[in-house]
Amino acid sequence: MNVLSPRTLVMKFGGTSVGTPDAMAQTAEIIHRQRTLTPRLVVVTSALSGVTDILLSSATAAAHGDTTTYNQAVQTLRARHEAIIKSLIPDRSRQEEVKAEITLLILDFANLCQAISVLGEATPRALDAVASLGERMAVRLLAAVVDSAGTPAQYLEANRLIITDDHFQAAHPDFAATQIAARASLNPILDQGTVPIITGFIGATPQGVTTTLGRGGSDYTAAILGAVLPADEVWIWTDVDGVMTADPRIVPEARTIEELTYREVSELAYAGAKVLHPKTIRPVIEAGIGLRVLNTFNPEHPGTRLVAEKATPNGNVVKSVTAIRGLKLITVEGRGMLDVPGVAARTFSAIASTGTSVSLISQASSEQAICFAVPASSAEKVIAAIENEFYREIAGKDIDRVWATGEVVIVTVVGEGMRSTPGIAGKVFGALGERQINVIAIAQGSSEVSISFVLKAEDIRAAVQTLHERVISQ
């Protein structure tokens, strides 16, 4: 690999990197090669690709009385994991040992789904218990494969290492407690030259109850462990050559960005780029350690390096364009809103009561309307909550209506150089205007590193291609 070899390194492998026998063999080879260069190597793994979706959809179906789905899932889970066991673990006794461990976890899954079916409810705590099983199966499998390939490895479940609160499905780590637990467990293993293979995505409360860090949280696991050990660097292994200038499925000419600042990649992560979990950035920034995104299936590629700051922006001012799909834009409007105290605060309090995340906010300068983007699936309950909050104002005609558009997308252009380069907004919107693409709403953060705007869902392909060609590639 065309990268340096730090003394202490955390490497995280995503679901596609371990999802098939060939992929896991490639991952084991990367670990073996890196262990010869790095004295203290820690590996974090996701569940096999698609497994977490299978687990959670089965649990949701069970809550509605459907027992067929999880029984079918049992067969799928067994077949996928056993295919890797047979292909990559040559020793028969080790095969049987790993198979038995995974079989017990699959049995736990079936029992949890049966209990959910009986209760008719899948609580957040139960869903975390179900969702964690994907990583718990994968970690046993990868550790056995790596060990069988000649690199001493030992699996650990992160509920022994990462201590969190009890906010199930999106738990927050206690970094002080995690530092104590992680160092106590990992340092002896590292000191004896063994590679710890650790479950991503999961943690536990101080009482030992399993939690998860949110979907895609294995990146966050790697960053947390990198920060508390501390590591010199964290490498995120995925199935693309780093962070791209655009989604290559929309723009075939998209290319890898060699270097991004943490601020830029944070904006990209929150704006829909799937390469990094949004929470990954903060622990590495605060710990002052390096972060790199690499491709498991093209390990010689240097990927994207993330840096704290760049003294002077070079290259393209706008680095990347990304999009978030599946949204609706909700508007609260009324000529009497000027006389209604705390409209914004009350609006977002009502939204918060539904557990919905807001992706973008835009307010008219006249203060007669405020609009915001939410997941399309949440639009109806958000509108109901706002109408309930403002029922007196609606009855008195101070607020005329609360309504939602059809499906929209948020497109965001990101680049550190935008802060010091005039005319970028004009160039962006001029390019869209020439393609007859209508912009519904606009928002720019105070950091001036990004500009986000809302478009009709059907305009996403034309907009991203146009901006990539006219703003990024030039």
Side-chain angles (χ1 to χ4, degrees), residues 250 432 435 437 458-467:
I250 297 177
L432 294 174
R435 284 292 301 270
I437 298 171
E458 58 263 31
D459 289 332
I460 180 174
R461 182 171 294 273
V464 172
Q465 290 175 343
T466 296
L467 293 172

Side-chain angles (χ1 to χ4, degrees), residues 305-316:
R305 187 169 72 96
L306 305 177
V307 298
E309 298 287 346
K310 296 180 75 169
T312 55
N314 52 51
N316 293 338

Side-chain angles (χ1 to χ4, degrees), residues 108-187:
D108 285 346
F109 162 68
N111 289 337
L112 282 166
C113 286
Q114 177 61 31
I116 288 169
S117 176
V118 170
L119 291 172
E121 179 185 11
T123 65
R125 176 171 173 169
L127 288 174
D128 271 2
V130 170
S132 71
L133 291 167
E135 274 72 14
R136 295 176 65 196
M137 288 185 277
V139 75
R140 288 161 167 80
L141 195 49
L142 181 58
V145 169
V146 170
D147 198 64
S148 297
T151 301
Q154 177 182 334
Y155 77 80
L156 290 90
E157 296 191 9
N159 52 15
R160 292 174 48 192
L161 311 176
I162 296 180
I163 312 303
T164 73
D165 61 16
D166 60 359
H167 187 194
F168 297 103
Q169 298 191 277
H172 301 286
D174 178 334
F175 277 87
T178 296
Q179 183 178 72
I180 294 169
R183 289 182 178 182
S185 292
L186 294 178
N187 280 332

Side-chain angles (χ1 to χ4, degrees), residues 24-97:
M24 189 170 283
Q26 175 70 7
T27 291
E29 174 61 20
I30 291 170
I31 294 169
H32 175 73
R33 290 169 58 189
Q34 192 60 46
R35 178 61 187 80
T36 65
L37 302 170
T38 299
R40 295 166 60 85
L41 179 63
V42 175
V43 171
V44 174
T45 183
S46 296
L48 275 59
S49 54
V51 163
T52 304
D53 287 336
I54 291 171
L55 295 169
L56 289 174
S57 62
S58 298
T60 301
H64 292 89
D66 174 2
T67 58
T68 301
T69 298
Y70 78 77
N71 281 313
Q72 291 173 340
V74 165
Q75 304 307 317
T76 300
L77 294 170
R78 181 176 290 117
R80 287 193 61 186
H81 290 84
E82 288 186 5
I84 296 175
I85 291 171
K86 291 176 183 177
S87 178
L88 300 181
I89 303 175
D91 182 77
R92 285 295 294 273
S93 62
R94 188 69 184 274
Q95 282 186 12
E96 294 303 318
E97 176 188 337

